[in-house]
Amino acid sequence: MWALSAVGHRRLGAAGSLAIVGGGWFAGKLPVHDPWGLWTDHGSATKAAAAVLAYVGLTVLVVAWWQYGKTASTVRETLVTLAWWTVPFLLAPPLYSADVYSYIAQGSMVVEGHDVYTVGPSALDPGGIGGDAAASVGNHWRDTPAPYGPLFLLLSAAVAWITGGTIVPAVLAMRIVALVSLALIVWSLRRLAREHGRSESRALWLGALNPLLLIHVVGGVHNDGLMIGLMLAGLVLALRGRWIAGSALVGLAMMVKSPAAVALLFIGVLVHASATGPRWRRWAKGLLAPGLVACAVAGGATLVSGTGFGWLHTQGVAANIHTALSVTSDIGLGLGELAHLLLGVDAEPVKSAVQTLGLAAALGVIVVLARRAMRGSPMTPAHALGLSLLVLVALSPMVQPWYLLWGMAVVAATEQYGRLSAVLIVLSAALVYETHPMGATPPYGFVLAGLAAVLGTLALRRTPVVPPGVRLPGRRDPADPAENQETPASTTSPAPAPQNAP
């Protein structure tokens, strides 16, 4: 297996994807009721065997991806591999999450005229449009208002209206949105890598071919993919001097999920660098103009959707759910319980205070990164954005495995292969195990993730994963303009930050 060619690893990964989907067909997040009778429960024994098959397939996919990273693959070969590994997921039931049922239910609520920012999916009539989806929503979210922006709710409403909220066609329609998001990510990764003198194939390998993205964006149909795709596309336009259009796209990304707003700060750095005139005017333009454009887009999307501005008040609802991957929530919970034990005070305010401090620390680091990018250091604004999103995730009060993709997609196209890339590779291989195919997070999932992290670290120390952009002598990819500039990370220094024309 270790001596397979790129084609061999492509086939191996496709077999892994097929096994994941085969297991997920019986052990995935199946709906409570499917009127078509395709995604139905077949009993605990079948579900257990299918889950084992899915975990085996996941391991095969991770190994194939890891080994594919050591092959001299061209951009075209990597795109073909991405297609091979993606196709098996197209007709699968929801995998690793029940969030897509929330999307369908919230879209149905918009169609029915409910206020999605004050009530949850339980407000739907069980026998009406979206009723089956609402019944399949996770317990935490049935009475929770939507934390998503009006643009995504419009898309969800369109899906609910076209499909009548019927489970199978509605999920498959949402998966089409996920595929469009993946295509947008691929388009943006290639151009970001080109702007930064990096290998396109290496950026695609880490940022798009990544198993973490495949199982959670394509398999799990998470809307994070759409947010990332719009944000990256906006960043590409801004790097090319079209900052107004870029800020508008980031505004649309914010209307899917709010963390995309971080990109506006770094588009502002680009605007400041290209602006002319007095210093105060350049500062004002950089700090205010991208935000004003994005706010105009957000306001327009809100008015068109008719859902109102309630999304401004529901951005923090997810923080009410404890996730073990959130360091600040874990520390806050521990300190809160300790304070309750020793002082008799309520534990929740202590936890909330630690979460707030974590977000404040993240904001401080983001400002420092923006200043470094503004000073013209080797850190480009785009790379600083990637680092900022990683910091934001690390210090957020709620962290899911796929949140790592927010910053990793940017870093994949902007950083020369090095220590951070190695950390992201290991985390990608480990975090895929944290979630059961049906969306739960069992204790053994963390054990498997920890074991994968240890094995991955040892494997990288023994034999580093050579990025696809590092070519064997004499082999060139005419579709990859960066590859003639790139040599192994141990013998080269990062490319200088590109200058952006106004």
Side-chain angles (χ1 to χ4, degrees), residues 173-373:
M174 293 304 301
R175 187 163 279 133
I176 291 175
V177 175
L179 290 176
V180 172
S181 305
L182 178 59
L184 193 55
I185 290 171
V186 168
W187 180 88
S188 303
L189 282 173
R190 293 188 63 184
R191 281 147 187 83
L192 271 179
R194 204 175 296 166
E195 289 281 344
H196 288 76
R198 303 295 187 249
S199 168
E200 293 180 35
S201 52
R202 182 245 177 196
L204 292 173
W205 172 74
L206 181 57
L209 194 62
N210 196 309
L212 191 64
L213 183 143
L214 294 177
I215 68 170
H216 285 300
V217 170
V218 184
V221 205
H222 284 291
N223 60 4
D224 299 71
L226 182 58
M227 180 199 77
I228 294 168
L230 290 170
M231 180 184 67
L232 290 181
L235 184 60
V236 169
L237 293 180
L239 284 168
R240 295 182 173 183
R242 299 170 59 188
W243 66 267
I244 296 178
S247 299
L249 282 182
V250 172
L252 292 178
M254 291 165 51
M255 292 298 92
V256 178
K257 296 189 78 169
S258 59
V262 177
L264 295 174
L265 176 61
F266 295 93
I267 290 179
V269 172
L270 294 170
V271 172
H272 174 272
S274 63
T276 58
R279 185 178 181 182
W280 67 268
R281 183 181 297 174
R282 289 186 286 116
W283 273 96
K285 186 175 181 181
L287 290 175
L288 299 177
L292 290 175
V293 172
C295 286
V297 170
T302 301
L303 294 175
V304 169
S305 69
T307 57
F309 288 87
W311 57 271
L312 293 171
H313 308 290
T314 61
Q315 296 304 301
V317 297
N320 297 325
I321 299 175
H322 183 85
T323 55
L325 292 179
S326 171
V327 176
T328 57
S329 293
D330 292 338
I331 294 175
L333 181 62
L335 291 177
E337 293 297 335
L338 182 61
H340 178 70
L341 180 64
L342 298 178
L343 304 175
V345 300
D346 188 4
E348 191 59 33
V350 177
K351 178 182 175 182
S352 179
V354 174
Q355 291 175 330
T356 302
L357 287 174
L359 288 175
L363 179 60
V365 174
I366 291 170
V367 171
V368 170
L369 290 171
R371 290 186 63 186
R372 288 190 61 186

Side-chain angles (χ1 to χ4, degrees), residues 10 20 28 41 81 85 141 155 210 286 301 390 408 412 436 464 487 493:
R10 175 187 301 158
I20 293 171
D41 195 329
T81 300
W85 294 4
W141 299 103
L155 290 174
N210 196 309
L390 292 176
M408 184 165 62
H436 187 279
T487 57
S493 58

Side-chain angles (χ1 to χ4, degrees), residues 7-293:
V7 174
H9 290 121
R10 175 187 301 158
R11 293 170 178 169
L12 184 67
S17 293
L18 284 170
I20 293 171
V21 171
W25 201 271
F26 302 97
K29 188 55 183 177
L30 304 177
V32 171
H33 175 247
D34 170 19
W36 288 18
L38 293 177
W39 297 338
T40 57
D41 195 329
H42 290 77
S44 57
T46 301
K47 188 179 297 184
V52 171
L53 176 63
Y55 274 111
V56 171
L58 182 60
T59 302
V60 171
L61 178 61
V62 169
V63 170
W65 173 71
W66 191 285
Q67 293 300 110
Y68 191 87
K70 299 179 180 180
T71 63
S73 302
T74 65
V75 170
R76 181 176 180 180
E77 288 170 343
T78 304
L79 291 175
V80 171
T81 300
L82 178 61
W84 275 52
W85 294 4
T86 301
V87 166
F89 290 99
L90 298 186
L91 299 179
L95 301 173
Y96 301 99
S97 175
D99 282 7
V100 67
Y101 298 131
S102 293
Y103 304 160
I104 297 167
Q106 289 160 358
S108 301
M109 292 172 67
V110 174
V111 173
E112 292 282 282
H114 296 279
D115 185 352
V116 293
Y117 295 125
T118 59
V119 295
S122 61
L124 286 172
D125 179 1
I129 179 174
D132 290 334
S136 304
V137 172
N139 293 331
H140 291 303
W141 299 103
R142 287 179 185 168
D143 296 303
T144 302
Y148 312 119
L151 172 65
F152 186 71
L153 291 177
L154 275 178
L155 290 174
S156 300
V159 166
W161 182 75
I162 292 171
T163 64
T166 307
I167 286 290
V168 173
V171 169
L172 297 183
M174 293 304 301
R175 187 163 279 133
I176 291 175
V177 175
L179 290 176
V180 172
S181 305
L182 178 59
L184 193 55
I185 290 171
V186 168
W187 180 88
S188 303
L189 282 173
R190 293 188 63 184
R191 281 147 187 83
L192 271 179
R194 204 175 296 166
E195 289 281 344
H196 288 76
R198 303 295 187 249
S199 168
E200 293 180 35
S201 52
R202 182 245 177 196
L204 292 173
W205 172 74
L206 181 57
L209 194 62
N210 196 309
L212 191 64
L213 183 143
L214 294 177
I215 68 170
H216 285 300
V217 170
V218 184
V221 205
H222 284 291
N223 60 4
D224 299 71
L226 182 58
M227 180 199 77
I228 294 168
L230 290 170
M231 180 184 67
L232 290 181
L235 184 60
V236 169
L237 293 180
L239 284 168
R240 295 182 173 183
R242 299 170 59 188
W243 66 267
I244 296 178
S247 299
L249 282 182
V250 172
L252 292 178
M254 291 165 51
M255 292 298 92
V256 178
K257 296 189 78 169
S258 59
V262 177
L264 295 174
L265 176 61
F266 295 93
I267 290 179
V269 172
L270 294 170
V271 172
H272 174 272
S274 63
T276 58
R279 185 178 181 182
W280 67 268
R281 183 181 297 174
R282 289 186 286 116
W283 273 96
K285 186 175 181 181
L287 290 175
L288 299 177
L292 290 175
V293 172

